[in-house]
Amino acid sequence: MSKRAETPNVYGVETEYSAMFTLPGDKTYEIVGKCHSIDEPLGLYKEPKSKGTDHIDRSSITDVLEDMGLYSNPSGMLSNGGRFYIDPSGPEYATPETSTAEEAVHRVFDGDDIMLDLFGRLRESGVLQDFQLNRRIVDHNRTSRGIHLNNTTSLPADIPSVIVMSALATLNVAKGAMFGSGGLLINDRGKTDFHHSPRLSITSITGATYQNYQQRPLVRYPFKEDGELARVETVTSDALSFAWPLRASLVITNSLLRVIEQDENTDFPILRNPVKAAHIVGQYGYKNQIAVYRENEKHEGEKPLNILKEICEIVLDANEELEVLDDEAKQVLPEIIDVADRMSDNPESVANQVESVARMIAMRKKMGKEGVKLYSEKMCRFDYAWDWIGGGIAETLRNKNVVGWQGFKTKHSPRTADKRRNSPPVDTRAKIRGDLIQERAGDVDIDWSGTDRIYLHPLDTVLE
């Protein structure tokens, strides 16, 4: 079977950034949530009425991008194959399609650098007085944006079956035990708690359509049409600053899809109450049990790490017959199993791979050193310092290659990142799209899958 005839492994990540912009005249627009203090209690789910980017002319952004070596077409598609635009929640960067999760992760962090450079230049030119960007999607008062992990599938571009939706919902909950960012949230009584996966903690429903954008589902449907293929958009993830959990999250979702495509009735674990389980895992991570259906529809409590391991083992066993996994999946799935085992024995032993654990340890050390409580304004600011872009704690650790790069062929390298940032991947249709936008200085009507006359398969690299 040719590579193109198979379901291609294609990845992409859309990140909606938390942001605060100060315009000339000291007018501040805040999408980064404010910190609670004795003078200013937080109201749950309250958002700013407008955002600073509403007051930035699109032509200013286009001009700065060109100065950075990136052309943009009218819909925001870029000459590096990605996309930048301002959506209702603020600035969003979508990576170009990649054929490996490893490259997708590198390009996610390239997006951070692009955003930092873009708004830095707008500040230098006087369009902005100042700004702050954060790699987070849930503020302390539970207002949220989104990060969307995209996987290509041969499943129909339709509402998924109950079996498929249940399997995906279970996976998305279990992933929060290992692939959460960690962070602080307040509850309706004003109490501050540490949550291992803040996005799971605000889950409102098992499944919802794209039109119900105010819902926070475990599964979003229908899957998006892409020629004879479809695209599954996972909306339950946190905005991770560590590379390994982001890669592992992309890979395990892709692997489960490959097995379900061949046999929808594969016996994956199914949660009894997915929304309740999401709230439990969201706050407590790997610690507490959640209810899973077993034989004869009986249910039993199970630790989410064991569920994650079980899914990996089912996929690896199925691959012995189906041969649907690529080399990256064969490497990463055993890594997940190994981390789950070590995490069960000693959670602190995986702090260099699991971001929520690293963040929790850092916050405990900060509280001990400063003699402050979790609900203090100082800890609130420390929490935002963790995922701040442009010198934040997690970014600094990652860029020094101290944490989060286990199993990667290439770790962070400023020189490599500079070469990659403005160029599209060479083995997906992003190359065609990026090259056309570059050649025509942005004057071309092309979107993710082509034009209104030409469809591009995800693995096309030459325009016939």
Side-chain angles (χ1 to χ4, degrees), residues 7 35 77 141 149 165 168 182 203 242 268 338 445 448:
T7 304
C35 274
M77 306 305 298
N141 69 348
L149 311 185
M165 187 178 296
L168 286 171
T203 298
F242 282 18
F268 285 110
D338 173 66
D445 184 15
W448 290 108

Side-chain angles (χ1 to χ4, degrees), residues 226-285:
D226 190 344
E228 295 181 354
L229 300 166
R231 180 160 52 89
V232 178
E233 216 172 83
T234 302
V235 297
T236 55
S237 300
D238 298 317
L240 291 158
S241 297
F242 282 18
W244 182 83
L246 179 52
R247 182 194 193 191
S249 182
L250 286 162
V251 167
I252 192 172
T253 299
N254 200 64
S255 301
L256 180 140
L257 289 170
R258 292 297 164 270
V259 172
I260 286 179
E261 289 163 359
Q262 299 297 318
D263 184 2
E264 189 172 298
N265 293 310
T266 301
D267 192 20
F268 285 110
I270 301 299
L271 293 175
R272 182 189 181 203
N273 187 330
V275 175
K276 180 180 179 180
H279 294 164
I280 292 171
V281 176
Q283 182 165 356
Y284 303 106

Side-chain angles (χ1 to χ4, degrees), residues 7 28 74 114 227 397 403 462:
T7 304
T28 299
I114 290 169
L397 292 171
V403 296
V462 178

